[in-house]
Amino acid sequence: MTYQWFKDGSAIAGATTTTYTIASATAASAGNYTLVATNWLGSTTSAVAALTVISPVSITTQPTAQSVIAGNTATFSVVATGSAPLTYQWSKDGVAISGATAASYALAATTAANAGSYTVLITNSVGSVTSAAATLTVNPAGVAPSITTQPISQSVTAGKSVTLSVVATGTSPLTYEWRKDGTVITGVTSASLTFSSAAASDAGSYSVVVANSLGSINSAVAVLTVNTPPTIIVQPTSQTVVAGSVIRLSVSAIGIGTLTYQWYRIDNFGRFGTVGVGTSANLEIASSTSSNAGSYYVVVSTTGASVESNTVTVTVNTPPTISSQPISSLNYEGTTSSLT
């Protein structure tokens, strides 16, 4: 007699004895098996033997830890394989949670009491397996951002440093988005905006949007004015005059807007002990005296900016004065005569 085993109607290669053995059954081994026995008079087919392969539970995706703000939803889930039916039982800190018998477990509105370690026990007819623990952290309810110190308008001389800043409170992390004339400034994400050397092109209206996970708030608008100082094209020059003559010092400058002038003479206390002596582009002292000698400079100003000229020296020379004239005298011949 000869024998041939079949699975689901297909002959199994090499399965030609009265016994067919599967050394390590897998899910693919499940099916309907028959044996056909044959001799010279004919053949006969056995009854169908169904092989069912039951797979143990295996977790393919573990539940993951979560951190939420109180009042928000938290959901744990697991993905497992194995022969059905699979049953699930979620636990918190080792204690089974009533009704938590699905592949996922959701907390609709978390509170501090929900914080802890969560696991799930998955079972089928072969056995059971427990997932890795997933920690739930419940943070206190957050606070939307609030600005406590607004950025303030500033005026700066071109080339000088200036900083706009804001102070805000709220649940961290806070983010900052600065804008100029309504357009977002790329790359500026801190509470302050600094111009190390302000230029005329930096002038404008600035604001900042402060945000966190709970909302955002717009700051007040701060206007940055960049003043360009005048340019001196002709500097005053040093002079030497005779006492009683006119002293004339002048400067020539150009700039934006109306220019004003303030002349100073440096006194015995130095440059910071100056005394204003004129307010036009020209300084004239009609009848000079020795007290007018010294060092002079002028500050040329326009709105919000100024420039200082070179310091020049005025020398006042005083001619001699005869305080006692020689006196005529009459002498005898041979005597001494003195004139002073």
Side-chain angles (χ1 to χ4, degrees), residues 56-123:
V57 178
S58 175
I59 296 177
T60 57
T61 303
Q62 297 280 357
T64 57
Q66 295 189 48
S67 179
V68 297
I69 295 174
N72 289 347
T73 299
T75 301
F76 294 102
S77 60
V78 67
V79 178
T81 60
S83 295
L86 299 179
T87 63
Y88 303 85
Q89 178 59 61
W90 288 89
S91 296
K92 174 181 177 285
D93 299 329
V95 178
I97 303 170
S98 177
T101 56
S104 62
Y105 174 58
L107 294 161
T110 55
T111 66
N114 297 130
S117 179
Y118 289 79
T119 58
V120 60
L121 176 67
I122 309 171
T123 305

Side-chain angles (χ1 to χ4, degrees), residues 58-327:
S58 175
I59 296 177
T60 57
T61 303
Q62 297 280 357
T64 57
Q66 295 189 48
S67 179
V68 297
I69 295 174
N72 289 347
T73 299
T75 301
F76 294 102
S77 60
V78 67
V79 178
T81 60
S83 295
L86 299 179
T87 63
Y88 303 85
Q89 178 59 61
W90 288 89
S91 296
K92 174 181 177 285
D93 299 329
V95 178
I97 303 170
S98 177
T101 56
S104 62
Y105 174 58
L107 294 161
T110 55
T111 66
N114 297 130
S117 179
Y118 289 79
T119 58
V120 60
L121 176 67
I122 309 171
T123 305
N124 69 0
S125 58
V126 178
S128 62
V129 64
T130 300
S131 73
T135 300
L136 174 63
T137 302
V138 181
N139 298 308
V143 178
S146 174
I147 295 176
T148 57
T149 303
Q150 297 282 356
I152 58 174
S153 297
Q154 295 192 52
S155 180
V156 64
T157 301
K160 301 294 185 180
S161 175
V162 63
T163 297
L164 301 174
S165 61
V166 67
V167 178
T169 60
T171 300
S172 296
L174 295 176
T175 61
Y176 302 86
E177 183 181 76
W178 285 90
R179 300 181 181 187
K180 177 191 177 190
D181 300 328
T183 301
V184 175
I185 305 173
T186 303
V188 182
T189 57
S190 66
S192 61
L193 171 62
T194 299
F195 301 91
S196 58
S197 180
S201 59
D202 295 322
S205 297
Y206 290 83
S207 63
V208 58
V209 178
V210 185
N212 64 8
S213 60
L214 298 172
S216 62
I217 186 171
N218 292 316
S219 76
V221 174
V223 177
L224 177 62
T225 303
V226 180
N227 300 307
T228 303
T231 300
I232 294 177
I233 55 177
V234 178
Q235 295 281 353
T237 58
S238 296
Q239 293 187 33
T240 299
V241 298
V242 175
S245 61
V246 176
I247 297 173
R248 290 187 180 88
L249 298 174
S250 65
V251 68
S252 179
I254 57 175
I256 299 172
T258 302
L259 300 183
T260 61
Y261 305 85
Q262 180 64 61
W263 288 88
Y264 294 94
R265 179 174 63 85
I266 301 175
D267 61 20
N268 293 331
F269 297 101
R271 194 172 188 82
F272 296 101
T274 56
V275 178
V277 292
T279 55
S280 71
N282 301 307
L283 171 64
E284 183 172 305
I285 300 173
S287 181
S288 60
T289 66
S290 58
S291 63
N292 299 130
S295 298
Y296 290 76
Y297 69 94
V298 63
V299 175
V300 185
S301 303
T302 187
T303 304
S306 62
V307 63
E308 188 176 295
S309 75
N310 295 339
T311 299
V312 297
T313 301
V314 172
T315 302
V316 179
N317 292 326
T318 304
T321 300
I322 297 177
S323 58
S324 179
Q325 295 287 349
I327 300 174

